[in-house]
Structure formats: C-alpha cells, structure tokens
Amino acid sequence: MTGVWVFEDGIVRRADNEAPGRGGGSGARPGKVLVHVPSGEVVTTYDVLERRLRELGWERYLNDSCLLQFHQRSTVHLISVPRDFARLKLVHMYDVVVKTRNVFEVRDAVWFVKLE
C-alpha cells in the first residue's frame, strides 16, 4: 500500500489517512482547506462560504437544526453541510466543489499556513 507510514511505539499506522478535523477546535483541518479560486480566499467560516455562494446565485434552503442547505433555482443541486463548521469534512468540501465547478477547490492546507 502506498502512502506515508509512521512507526511509533511498536505500532505502524498510515499517517496520511488521518481524519480531518482532529487538529483542534474551530474546524481545524490539518490536511485540506476549501478555497474560493477567483479570490484565493480560504473558507474558514460559514459566513465566508454563504457570501461566496450567494454571489453565484445560491440561497439558503429550508431551516434544519443539523444542516445548512443551499439551493440554486436554476438547478436541481442542493449543497448540504453540517451546521457546526467544526464538523465540516472532506466529503462536504468536495460536494461544494462539484456543484460550483471552477469556483471552489480543495487544496492542501500546508500552502495556506501563515508564517509568524
């Protein structure tokens, strides 16, 4: 099997197979980030995501206690993401990417780390 393997304390594990969001609070995702391509802005909150989706004609759909949903009247597509941004996973990011072709991308977070 390919990938990065780590040997620690007599245990071998695949390092690149860790679940997103384990890096701490506020939706920290050590591996991947959702990026708005035209502006280069990293989506760090749902306010940012909703603002960018509204620019594309998406609007909030139904008020659900567990999900935020966005609908575009000209399509049958529905974007559903967990209401808690900390629970946003890679599958949700790719759902946004697929339904907004060439506007959002999932990229490695390492390129967006701010140096102090």
Side-chain angles (χ1 to χ4, degrees):
M1 297 175 84
T2 62
V4 177
W5 293 85
V6 177
F7 184 78
E8 291 178 346
D9 300 322
I11 299 173
V12 176
R13 67 177 174 82
R14 189 169 173 180
D16 60 352
N17 198 22
E18 293 180 5
R22 287 191 179 166
S26 71
R29 235 164 249 91
K32 304 288 183 181
V33 292
L34 183 64
V35 177
H36 181 253
V37 175
S39 68
E41 181 179 21
V42 177
V43 176
T44 55
T45 65
Y46 282 139
D47 290 335
V48 173
L49 179 61
E50 185 168 5
R51 178 171 39 90
R52 295 302 184 180
L53 287 174
R54 281 180 188 248
E55 292 171 1
L56 299 170
W58 290 82
E59 45 192 53
R60 277 270 186 106
Y61 186 75
L62 297 180
N63 197 5
D64 188 296
S65 62
C66 299
L67 297 172
L68 290 179
Q69 295 181 316
F70 300 93
H71 178 260
Q72 195 173 39
R73 289 182 188 217
S74 61
T75 69
V76 296
H77 296 303
L78 184 68
I79 295 174
S80 298
V81 293
R83 187 167 287 279
D84 180 4
F85 191 76
R87 295 181 181 269
L88 186 74
K89 300 200 184 301
L90 198 56
V91 68
H92 302 113
M93 292 183 204
Y94 279 115
D95 187 34
V96 173
V97 168
V98 166
K99 292 173 182 165
T100 59
R101 298 254 184 233
N102 303 319
V103 178
F104 289 94
E105 287 182 352
V106 175
R107 297 184 184 164
D108 290 330
V110 70
W111 297 108
F112 297 95
V113 175
K114 292 183 180 179
L115 300 176
E116 312 226 0

